[in-house]
Each structure stands twice: as structure tokens, then as C-alpha cells.
Amino acid sequence: MTRLFESFVESKESLPPEFDKQGMMLALQIAESAVIKGDHAIGAVIAWPNKHLKEHDTTQTSDNPLNEAGLNVINKALSVMPHKIKSGVLYSTLEPDALTVLTAYKSGIQEVVFGAYDHKDGFVSSVRKLNLEYYDIAYKGGVLSEECYKLLPKSVQGHSSVTGNL
């Protein structure tokens, strides 16, 4: 799998579905553990060859809207290995918002992969979608969407959908 990931980094092509499923499974695991801690069941992972970092949404327990899962894992990655984040892929159980995707882009992440669509705040499916014309970042939605959607809090479920293609 390392050779496969290295060829992705060099070519900027999307990874095959089996690699995306592995990344999303890790995000789902951390999302499930978030509930025990009193947080929303939203998880995010940044994956590299032979390494990954994972975090969950802590907006509930921290009372800070900036502590979303994607931003948490990007901050963690930048503090641990700032120069190596550039070849990572961000996986999130819920479609990230524009702030998270712009932060990922500025950090050098090449691709964002998410499970459940968020029609309220998502960077591609909401009315506040991000114009990606000027950004060199790939994205893919709907990976393990049913599993991701089942974990979402009811307040988010009303605004999200597991249908649709990007």
C-alpha cells in the first residue's frame, strides 16, 4: 500500500476505493469513541504511508466552534510533523465546512474524503459551498456514507444526506 500511496502523492490522482475505506473506518472508530466523551460523533483522520493521526469533534465539551474534527486533526498534524502534512489525505465522517477545507489546502493536504454529506455547512453540497476553481485540492464524498450517517447527531441528520454524487 505504501507504493500505491507514493504514486498518488506524485500524480495527484485519487486513491482507489479500498484505501479510502480504510481511512474512513479509522475516522468512524474515533467518531464512535467521541460519544463516550460527550462530543458529537464526528471523526477525522489524516493518513500518510504507514502513519495516521486521528481526532474527533470537541465542539460540545470545549464550547469552541473551532474544535471541529477536521481542524483538530490538522492542528495535531502540524504540531507533530509540520513538513510532512503536505502528502496527507484528510478523511472525515461528515463533509467538512469551507474553513476546514481551506485550512487543509493551506497545510498542503492533497485530498479530502468524507462520508456523509452536510447540506447545511458542507464545502461542496451546502448553499455556502466553497468555489474550488482556484484551489488545487481533490475531494470525494459518500465513502461509507451509511455508516457515517448513522453516527451523526439528530441536529445534523436533518441537514445531511447520504445520496448524491460529487
Side-chain angles (χ1 to χ4, degrees):
M1 181 135 349
T2 301
R3 186 169 291 155
L4 178 66
F5 194 95
E6 289 169 354
S7 67
F8 156 73
V9 170
E10 292 172 9
S11 69
K12 292 192 175 184
E13 292 179 13
S14 290
L15 290 169
E18 56 272 10
F19 196 93
D20 289 339
K21 286 180 183 175
Q22 291 174 11
M24 194 59 68
M25 290 298 289
L26 290 171
L28 281 163
Q29 288 171 2
I30 193 72
E32 289 172 348
S33 70
V35 177
I36 297 167
K37 298 174 184 174
D39 289 305
H40 290 305
I42 301 169
V45 171
I46 297 179
W48 299 269
N50 301 319
K51 184 172 180 69
H52 67 271
L53 294 172
K54 54 190 178 180
E55 286 292 324
H56 63 81
D57 184 285
T58 57
T59 56
Q60 290 294 107
T61 56
S62 69
D63 286 328
N64 185 340
L66 295 175
N67 289 342
E68 295 177 352
L71 292 174
N72 286 346
V73 77
I74 292 168
N75 282 326
K76 183 177 186 177
L78 289 170
S79 68
V80 174
M81 45 196 278
H83 301 294
K84 295 190 180 191
I85 192 171
K86 294 184 187 286
S87 61
V89 175
L90 174 64
Y91 295 93
S92 180
T93 57
L94 179 65
E95 178 184 357
D97 62 8
L99 175 63
T100 302
V101 173
L102 286 173
T103 303
Y105 169 76
K106 291 281 191 178
S107 301
I109 290 174
Q110 295 184 2
E111 184 173 20
V112 176
V113 179
F114 60 90
Y117 290 85
D118 184 352
H119 293 292
K120 180 183 175 210
D121 294 317
F123 76 104
V124 290
S125 65
S126 75
V127 294
R128 297 179 256 186
K129 64 183 163 191
L130 181 63
N131 181 353
L132 293 169
E133 183 179 332
Y134 304 105
Y135 304 100
D136 187 19
I137 189 165
Y139 61 92
K140 193 181 309 177
V143 176
L144 298 180
S145 59
E146 289 183 34
E147 293 88 337
C148 294
Y149 186 73
K150 287 177 187 175
L151 290 177
L152 292 175
K154 296 217 183 302
S155 62
V156 178
Q157 285 183 3
H159 300 288
S160 301
S161 170
V162 294
T163 61
N165 295 319
L166 294 177

